[in-house]
Amino acid sequence: MIGSIALMLLGAAAAPTSCDALTGLKLDNTTITSARLVVEGPAPTPTPPTPAPARAGGAGRGAADGGRGGQAQGGRPGAAGPRGGGPPAPRIIPEHCRVQLVLKPSSDSLINMELWLPPADKWNGKFMGVGNGGFAGSIQGMTNDMPQALRLGYATAGTDTGHQQAGGDWAIGHPEKMIDFGYRATHEMTVKAKQIVKAFYDRAPQYSYFKGCSTGGRMAVMEAQRYPDDYDGIIAGALASRHIHMWTAGVERSARLVRNPEQKLTAEDAALVNNLVNTCDTLKEGFLNNPRACKVDFSTLKCTAGKTTGCLTDAKMKTVETFYGGVKNSKGELIFSGQALGNPIGASPANINPGGGTFDLVRIAYEDPNFDWQKFNLDRDMKFLDDTIGYVDAVNPDLRRFKSSGGKLLMFHGWADTGITPETTVWYYEQVLNKMGRNQSDWMRLFMVPGMGHCGGGPGINGFDQIGTLERWVEKGIAPNSIIGTGANGLTRPLCAYPQAAEHKGGDLKDAANWSCQAPR
């Protein structure tokens, strides 16, 4: 009799948990604030971050992914609503159990998280964590990636990365919150999500995936670096992996122009540069299929003796060199990669404020909200930022543990991305190969996307089946040699595993059948 009772109790303990009963689930450093069944309907809107307090003489505090600002991951920059200027129609998502949580892994942590669980008969047996954009501050994945995952049958989760305020003031004097943003919030979200999935379905997910772009791309590769057992497969797009360096490079570019106004470009100067680069668009597509195949001699634009118009001075040539060649310190060491050819350079703004939102990371490192940008020195301050908050940068090229765990890493970046320079994802990919050996294609591949903007959009290819590609690789062992990408007006093109690139064989440029992947010559 006692044995029968014990078996009955064991069976009860292992039974699935109903949605509303999840609020009673006890997890370390976690409060489940709500768990309720949601019927099919529009996806919820994430709570926007609280505006940062105004600072005298400062510019807007909004976060930016790069020199031209960033987009929330998963979005399509420049996407418009219906004709007439109204908002786009709400995206409908299936019935699910919506779980809202607060995670407090440290005494100064407050991480908001959501987990969406499809009904047991609709669950595909898998889990997908999603990333954010910019400086996060809200559960941005609720807008695009979580709805997509839920429609595919995934249990899916996102987080605000541990703060609820725009800008960077939230991190000044709060190192634990900065650690949450850097890497801890994503891992904690993953651990708690898997525990709840196990309780809800009475079985753990068979496969776990992470999908992120921009800051989400940084979060993605950070997971592979620090927590290689969290995910079986990772999609990492438009890497903001050098977050600290990216923002610092933005400060340096602005500061140089303020300190050296003779380096500013006029609209006419920018047109000279862009007209030269546009000669590479031999197919007249409006974007470069492979910017690395383009060879441009900018020295032909340099003013010669007696010529003062239709040319660039030495000072202005430095601005062009920095734009495409990247920001470097006094030793010539690369701080952050420059833009890809084909992405136009613009005229220098009339009003430049190096102490605006991009300067937040310097203020965070020095724990001084009033740190004056005029005291900024790249050589000195870059080292200080690396030493104090460099853990935010996901740059460790040693991914041996992720590889040995059987993980698969699918990276991509749009060549037409003006938010985060495409070359920075190439840079990280090459760093991994330099560390681990040149042949790592059995578990890591990079796809550079012609004409894609920041995480989507752009004049060329603006989408491809990221999740399906990764699923086939992880679950069936089918590694992607090429992926068909799609764009507007019926455009299709093979995306090739880097360093290969698609080359036109003749015929209709919009037809993928007329292109083939070729190694660089």
Side-chain angles (χ1 to χ4, degrees), residues 227-245:
Y227 307 105
D229 296 323
D230 275 2
Y231 292 98
D232 301 293
I234 290 174
I235 299 166
L239 304 188
S241 52
R242 305 192 83 187
H243 184 96
I244 305 297
H245 279 235

Side-chain angles (χ1 to χ4, degrees), residues 125-139:
K126 297 179 260 190
F127 165 69
M128 179 168 290
V130 307
N132 297 75
F135 233 147
S138 66
I139 307 175

Side-chain angles (χ1 to χ4, degrees), residues 276-313:
L276 177 61
V277 173
N278 287 342
T279 60
C280 289
D281 184 14
T282 56
L283 298 177
K284 307 302 180 185
E285 291 191 283
F287 61 91
L288 298 188
N289 180 71
N290 178 17
R292 286 203 156 190
C294 174
K295 305 300 180 184
V296 173
D297 183 3
F298 288 113
S299 68
T300 60
L301 300 178
K302 185 177 178 179
C303 293
T304 55
K307 187 176 182 181
T308 58
T309 60
C311 59
L312 301 180
T313 63

Side-chain angles (χ1 to χ4, degrees), residues 47-55 61-63 110 112 133-140 160-172 174 177 181 247 360 364 369:
T47 302
T50 302
R55 182 179 293 121
R61 312 302 302 151
L110 198 161
N112 290 317
F135 233 147
S138 66
I139 307 175
Q140 298 165 333
D160 64 6
T161 72
H163 67 95
Q164 298 76 42
Q165 182 178 307
D169 289 338
W170 55 269
I172 298 176
H174 296 278
K177 290 186 181 297
F181 170 74
W247 284 47
D360 278 340
I364 291 169

Side-chain angles (χ1 to χ4, degrees), residues 112-147:
N112 290 317
M113 168 188 163
E114 288 216 11
L115 171 65
W116 298 350
L117 301 158
D121 61 341
K122 303 294 184 181
W123 184 42
N124 65 8
K126 297 179 260 190
F127 165 69
M128 179 168 290
V130 307
N132 297 75
F135 233 147
S138 66
I139 307 175
Q140 298 165 333
M142 292 164 57
T143 304
N144 290 298
D145 286 337
M146 289 177 66

